[in-house]
Amino acid sequence: MASNDGSGEVDPALEETVSAEDAGVTPGGAGAGGGRLSAGSKLGRYEILEFIGGGGMGWVYRARDVELERDVAIKVVQPTAAGASGRARLLAEARAMARLHHRAVVPVFDVGEYAGGVYVAMALVQGGTLHDWMHAEPRPWRHVLARFIEAGRGLVAAHDAGIVHRDFKPRNVLVSEAGEVLVADFGIAAASADGDDGATPRDASSVAGTPAYMAPEQAAGRAVDARADQYSFCVSLWEGLHGERPQEAATRTQGARIERSGDAPKPRRRVPGWLTDAVARGFAPVPDKRWPTLAALLDHCHRRLGRPRRVAFAAGPIALAAVVGGVLWTSKSPRPDPCPAPARALEEIWGPAARARVEAAFSATGAPFASAMFARVGPTLDRYAAAWRDQVVAACRATNVEHSQSADLLDRRMSCLEARRAALQQLTGALADATRDVVAGAPAAVAQLAALDDCDRTDELLASGPTPSGERRVDVAAIRTRLGDAATARLRGTYRAALDTAEAALRDARALAWAPLTAEALAEVVQCREALLLPRGELADELTRVAASAKDDQRLVLAWAALLEQALDEGDYLRAKVLAGPTSAALLRAEVTPALAVRTRVKLATAAARNDDHDDARRYLDEAEPLAVAPGLRWMLIHTRGLIERDGHAQVRLEEAALETARQEYEAEHPIVAKQLMFLAVARHRVGDLEGAEAAAAEAMAIHERAGDTRGTPALASLLQLRASLAGRRGRPRDALADLERAGEIFRDAGMTSSIASTERLIANVYSTWLDDAEQGRAHYQRALEIVASLQGTNSIAYADLEASFGAMLGRRDCAAARPYLEHAIRVLEPSRYFTLVAAYGQLGECLEDTEPAAAMRYYEAGLGLCRARGCEPGHEANFQAAVGQLLIETKAGRPRGLALLREAVVGFEAAGNPDMASELRAIIAHPPPAR
């Protein structure tokens, strides 16, 4: 776009150089083949509102996104005006900018086609350009340098992504009304040689750009790299510092010899010599004589300015308080309003530009549910940021205006608020660099943000011990940053990396010995280990003590819930019942987020159901019902009601209802929907509906495949395990093995050792049950036993559970070998009445039936009682009825009950699809053996 620099004459050096086929676009905005779009015109979901401007690279309009109800900027190249090269260039711009998620780069939302042309939708930045700002009035050199450093960070982000802008100039940098600096118009950017945007060699070296700012090698048509952007940046910065561009640089694009070194240009304004020299080096005519990278130049400027690179509260709560209310510790410099709203404190973390960056990042993932997920988290973060600002002002006023609290209490409140701000910064940073997994998990991650009200509870704050000061305060900030990195890795699904980072932060937090920080670190380690299904009992125990000491209700509840969850994972239902008491008590005392309150009650309900306390289970879920207002929580409640339902067909109906709710809350392609389809498949499998189970599993698999889940996630691995079980039952053991081998690889890559053991167990079952290969089955069972023994010991529920299955497999061929495994498993599992006892009772009873019939009867009766109390897989209860019945009918006293059990078994086998066994039992009922 042309500009006159205030002189009244158009400077042709400010016009972009474009190829002949692009010359149909005129500065006025009209194309050779047609006029501008009029107000009310439609481009996809966008309605044109007004023409903003245009130039050699296209026209720009303000438009309305009618679906999301927001104004955007639309850049259009008409097909008659642009030609093939112009359209390709604009698409390259969209691809380049969509890959950049940085606070100093204008976010791109969408790209589309219009009547053969192309349009790009991006954030509408209210304000002007950097050129307008720096020429509006003489600016102090420090102010100019600060603005350019921000823009430079955006360019560095582009270079790190392999992108060269190739037309950097002050007019292509926007300055919002809030003072944000954003680099725009990557319209002629080209990926570097190792990029992946498909740019051709001609695109990388053709003469395109603005002559007044163009590097000599670019003007000569040679290939360019990031050093060309450095040249343009330094010419632009010189202009901002001195009021005009360096003439020495301008001549280099007008035919002068590129190879000459040239002297440094003479300064025109009072600017420090070190800065003049640094900038002049950046536009040296020979690329090798410039700074190695633009980042090196920016770092040099920071060091010479003598201040840290980041000043946004890196020093902790004292710095935060000082920004809000001046120097709070004295009253020597009173202000009209000592506690203004800290708008800048969250500007980069969650302001208009940050919000737009996150939305663009979500869209760039291509996830079909991205728009819905952003519509959910965006307003929540808006409210959180606004509440944070209100809390900061209230804390400041209580000390400096109302004089109702001490400086010490202000420091504690600010420390708490700084922790919340740091967590918000980490979360929004992760969202701005979103992957599909991050988008899928964003609502849950946002819901877990710690409550701000905690920072206003003075009694708890005063009881938590003195806040760190001096260097220890800096250490606190550094540890919290690492904990944020761990939480980000956990959100991305890289659980092992998250755990390593969190454990390192925990070591430092313990050394610092400040309870609130230690509680934060312990909570993150516990959550990482929970994601990996690793033991966390000792850490969760420690967290209960530390969180209580720190008066941290949120993490205290999380600790008890983690202990309860581990007991459930390990099948130790008796311990889960014991833990339910303190977990419930902590939940009732604490004021926690609704998401944590619902999830904890879900765990309590599950524990109650595992102990046959179904009334308590329903009560916990009823208590959670009014709290489940956030999307995703209602789905969880319905699914849990299905889990605690004892009737298999009723469970299927509830899982089907949960599926419909998940689709409403998450969109059809969301991973949660795939997860719920898997739960539905399991429920159908339990009632013998193998065809329906396979259909649900196939639908879940299709969601993973459409999502491009090629690297494999733990959720996909779990689905593969289920699909393998179904394939085995349906007579496809080789398909089952292929799925299980893939699942094992995924779990190994994720470092999920416990899940590797479960996969080995399933592989053992395939070999022993469907491929009749006892040796391979035994080998895989023993590998699984070794893994579980190393994690939890040989007297754990998990080890005994696996041992029961192994003993059942051995017992079909070698009762003597199986007996010690089965007897040990029964001793460990009986107190919790764990469901694998069914297999152990049945196999040990069968082994003893000929030699020790009385002992066999005890085990059969125990198995029958367990099935009736807790429910069994189809046919298992009928097996016990048949076994007990056949032993009883051999005695006169037991024959009546024995015949009754055999008749029940006939019904059970028919329902389970086993007519042969039903027929055999009918024959026995008709002609029972003589009674003893």
Side-chain angles (χ1 to χ4, degrees):
M1 208 183 313
S3 176
N4 58 22
D5 280 344
S7 64
E9 296 181 0
V10 173
D11 182 352
L14 300 179
E15 277 299 312
E16 295 146 325
T17 299
V18 295
S19 63
E21 69 176 343
D22 296 331
V25 177
T26 67
R36 302 174 189 164
L37 295 172
S38 58
S41 300
K42 294 291 183 63
L43 289 175
R45 69 179 197 234
Y46 306 101
E47 180 179 348
I48 300 298
L49 300 179
E50 63 176 332
F51 177 74
I52 295 177
M57 296 305 298
W59 310 346
V60 182
Y61 300 87
R62 184 168 68 89
R64 184 72 172 169
D65 183 336
V66 295
E67 289 186 10
L68 297 181
E69 299 183 348
R70 62 174 179 190
D71 287 356
V72 299
I74 297 277
K75 185 170 185 178
V76 180
V77 170
Q78 296 276 19
T80 55
S85 176
R87 289 196 300 274
R89 185 178 302 137
L90 194 57
L91 284 169
E93 170 182 343
R95 286 196 298 269
M97 293 185 71
R99 284 160 48 191
L100 293 180
H101 305 302
H102 190 273
R103 65 176 182 272
V105 175
V106 174
V108 167
F109 301 138
D110 193 12
V111 61
E113 296 188 45
Y114 167 71
V118 177
Y119 68 86
V120 176
M122 62 193 82
L124 179 65
V125 181
Q126 301 289 352
T129 67
L130 185 57
H131 175 274
D132 300 333
W133 176 83
M134 67 191 198
H135 286 290
E137 60 182 86
R139 306 284 186 180
W141 67 267
R142 287 182 180 274
H143 294 185
V144 172
L145 181 58
R147 288 281 165 96
F148 271 89
I149 284 175
E150 281 298 300
R153 294 297 178 203
L155 270 184
V156 168
H159 296 163
D160 289 344
I163 300 166
V164 181
H165 189 293
R166 298 174 73 240
D167 194 26
F168 183 88
K169 58 187 177 184
R171 286 180 180 78
N172 281 346
V173 179
L174 306 181
V175 180
S176 73
E177 292 177 346
E180 299 165 305
V181 177
L182 301 104
V183 183
D185 270 342
F186 281 72
I188 55 175
S192 59
D194 60 348
D196 60 1
D197 72 338
T200 65
R202 178 192 177 280
D203 289 330
S205 60
S206 58
V207 179
T210 305
Y213 301 91
M214 192 184 296
E217 63 271 24
Q218 187 174 348
R222 299 179 182 176
V224 299
D225 56 23
R227 291 174 296 180
D229 281 351
Q230 182 188 147
Y231 185 102
S232 303
F233 176 86
C234 287
V235 170
S236 301
L237 176 52
W238 183 279
E239 180 182 351
L241 294 170
H242 298 292
E244 59 183 356
R245 293 179 299 281
Q247 295 303 313
E248 297 86 345
T251 61
R252 295 177 190 142
T253 62
Q254 300 172 13
R257 290 180 62 205
I258 295 175
E259 288 76 11
R260 71 180 181 85
S261 62
D263 297 326
K266 296 178 181 179
R268 275 85 170 179
R269 286 183 182 167
R270 298 177 68 86
V271 176
W274 66 265
L275 181 55
T276 295
D277 292 343
V279 176
R281 177 181 172 184
F283 58 79
V286 178
D288 288 345
K289 293 189 176 181
R290 299 171 198 157
W291 291 89
T293 63
L294 179 57
L297 167 60
L298 300 181
D299 289 344
H300 173 76
C301 291
H302 269 295
R303 286 194 299 273
R304 292 303 302 263
L305 282 171
R307 61 174 180 257
R309 186 173 301 176
R310 295 190 178 204
V311 297
F313 312 115
I318 290 179
L320 174 62
V323 169
V324 174
V327 181
L328 295 175
W329 321 119
T330 70
S331 57
K332 294 180 180 178
S333 302
R335 296 181 179 181
D337 183 0
C339 299
R344 285 186 173 275
L346 289 183
E347 196 169 280
E348 291 184 1
I349 298 172
W350 193 252
R355 198 182 201 277
R357 282 194 298 274
V358 170
E359 186 172 11
F362 275 37
S363 179
T365 65
F369 46 81
S371 179
M373 295 302 99
F374 182 80
R376 186 176 303 171
V377 303
T380 303
L381 290 172
D382 291 341
R383 291 190 293 271
Y384 194 88
W388 185 90
R389 287 189 289 266
D390 291 345
Q391 284 265 25
V392 169
V393 172
C396 172
R397 291 184 64 83
T399 293
N400 294 281
V401 177
E402 300 158 6
H403 307 293
S404 60
Q405 77 180 8
S406 66
D408 174 62
L409 182 52
L410 173 61
D411 188 29
R412 292 169 188 266
R413 292 179 70 179
M414 289 301 182
S415 177
C416 179
L417 289 166
E418 169 59 15
R420 304 294 185 267
R421 188 201 64 81
L424 179 64
Q425 182 174 24
Q426 290 283 348
L427 175 57
T428 57
L431 299 181
D433 190 24
T435 62
R436 192 184 183 100
D437 289 344
V438 169
V439 172
V446 171
Q448 290 174 19
L449 282 169
L452 291 166
D453 289 346
D454 292 349
C455 300
D456 196 25
R457 297 195 176 104
T458 56
D459 290 344
E460 287 85 346
L461 290 173
L462 289 171
S464 63
T467 57
S469 59
E471 292 184 1
R472 294 179 78 240
R473 193 185 294 266
V474 176
D475 292 338
V476 168
I479 292 169
R480 279 179 169 151
T481 297
R482 275 187 287 163
L483 290 173
D485 292 340
T488 298
R490 183 161 51 85
L491 179 59
R492 290 181 174 278
T494 52
Y495 302 130
R496 178 57 64 177
L499 179 59
D500 291 343
T501 303
E503 286 179 335
L506 175 59
R507 287 193 293 272
D508 291 345
R510 283 172 171 154
L512 200 62
W514 185 43
L517 183 64
T518 306
E520 292 176 37
L522 280 166
E524 184 57 43
V525 173
V526 165
Q527 290 178 94
C528 290
R529 292 186 70 86
E530 187 170 326
L532 288 164
L533 298 179
L534 293 174
R536 51 217 178 259
E538 291 184 9
L539 289 165
D541 273 334
E542 182 184 357
L543 180 55
T544 61
R545 297 189 297 272
V546 176
S549 170
K551 304 298 181 183
D552 189 335
D553 284 346
Q554 190 89 1
R555 293 186 175 90
L556 179 60
V557 170
L558 189 148
W560 284 113
L563 288 168
L564 183 66
E565 181 77 8
Q566 177 168 331
L568 290 171
D569 287 347
E570 295 174 353
D572 193 345
Y573 301 144
L574 190 61
R575 176 168 167 74
K577 185 173 185 176
V578 172
L579 288 167
T583 304
S584 181
L587 186 60
L588 291 174
R589 287 196 310 270
E591 293 186 37
V592 299
T593 61
L596 180 58
V598 171
R599 292 175 191 277
T600 304
R601 284 183 170 87
V602 162
K603 293 176 183 179
L604 286 164
T606 305
R610 292 292 183 268
N611 285 285
D612 300 324
D613 299 327
H614 292 278
D615 289 341
D616 280 352
R618 283 187 283 271
R619 175 175 58 81
Y620 285 126
L621 295 181
D622 289 343
E623 290 174 359
E625 195 79 34
L627 301 172
V629 293
L633 297 179
R634 289 204 56 76
W635 155 78
M636 183 189 304
L637 282 182
I638 297 171
H639 162 61
T640 308
R641 289 190 188 279
L643 286 182
I644 69 172
E645 177 59 55
R646 299 173 67 182
D647 178 81
H649 294 285
Q651 183 182 59
V652 170
R653 290 192 294 272
L654 283 165
E655 295 291 16
E656 288 171 342
L659 176 60
E660 290 308 307
T661 303
R663 284 172 172 153
Q664 293 167 11
E665 293 185 328
Y666 283 102
E667 303 287 320
E669 294 294 303
H670 195 280
I672 286 292
V673 174
K675 187 176 184 178
Q676 178 54 36
L677 280 162
M678 186 175 73
F679 293 148
L680 175 59
V682 171
R684 287 175 174 171
H685 181 217
R686 284 176 180 159
V687 297
D689 181 8
L690 299 183
E691 186 175 342
E694 281 200 321
E699 192 176 348
M701 185 61 68
I703 292 175
H704 283 281
E705 289 170 349
R706 287 193 293 269
D709 190 2
T710 54
R711 68 179 177 84
T713 60
L716 175 61
S718 296
L719 179 57
L720 288 167
Q721 288 182 326
L722 170 64
R723 195 169 76 165
S725 295
L726 292 170
R729 291 282 298 274
R730 302 277 280 180
R732 302 191 305 275
R734 294 295 173 187
D735 290 347
L737 280 180
D739 279 347
L740 290 172
E741 286 166 2
R742 186 180 173 199
E745 291 173 2
I746 294 170
F747 286 135
R748 276 190 288 274
D749 290 343
M752 299 181 70
T753 312
S754 178
S755 297
I756 296 170
S758 71
T759 307
E760 289 290 335
R761 173 185 192 161
L762 290 170
I763 293 173
N765 285 335
V766 172
Y767 277 115
S768 62
T769 304
W770 295 308
L771 291 175
D772 198 28
D773 188 338
E775 287 307 309
Q776 281 283 6
R778 185 171 191 146
H780 284 282
Y781 259 122
Q782 286 175 333
R783 285 180 207 161
L785 285 167
E786 289 170 5
I787 292 171
V788 176
S790 68
L791 289 174
Q792 300 178 33
T794 58
N795 286 320
S796 65
I797 297 285
Y799 185 87
D801 166 41
L802 183 57
E803 197 176 32
S805 296
F806 181 40
M809 184 209 82
L810 289 176
R812 291 194 288 270
R813 292 175 174 82
D814 186 349
C815 282
R819 186 168 183 172
Y821 290 106
L822 293 170
E823 289 177 337
H824 179 261
I826 289 170
R827 282 198 301 274
V828 175
L829 295 175
E830 274 188 328
S832 64
R833 305 184 73 197
Y834 195 66
F835 68 89
T836 318
L837 278 167
V838 169
Y841 284 145
Q843 188 57 59
L844 190 52
E846 189 173 334
C847 283
L848 298 175
E849 189 169 329
D850 292 335
T851 58
E852 301 177 48
M857 176 66 84
R858 287 198 303 273
Y859 288 123
Y860 285 149
E861 290 277 23
L864 180 57
L866 188 60
C867 278
R868 286 178 168 168
R870 314 199 59 172
C872 284
E873 293 293 321
H876 285 188
E877 185 172 352
N879 274 328
F880 285 115
Q881 289 167 336
V884 174
Q886 289 180 83
L887 287 175
L888 285 175
I889 63 172
E890 295 178 359
T891 67
K892 289 181 180 180
R895 178 164 287 192
R897 179 172 175 246
L899 288 172
L901 285 172
L902 291 178
R903 293 187 186 99
E904 290 177 20
V906 168
V907 175
F909 281 127
E910 286 178 338
N914 193 339
D916 292 340
M917 277 298 300
S919 179
E920 283 185 36
L921 291 181
R922 283 196 190 93
I924 294 173
I925 294 170
H927 303 286
R932 295 193 303 270

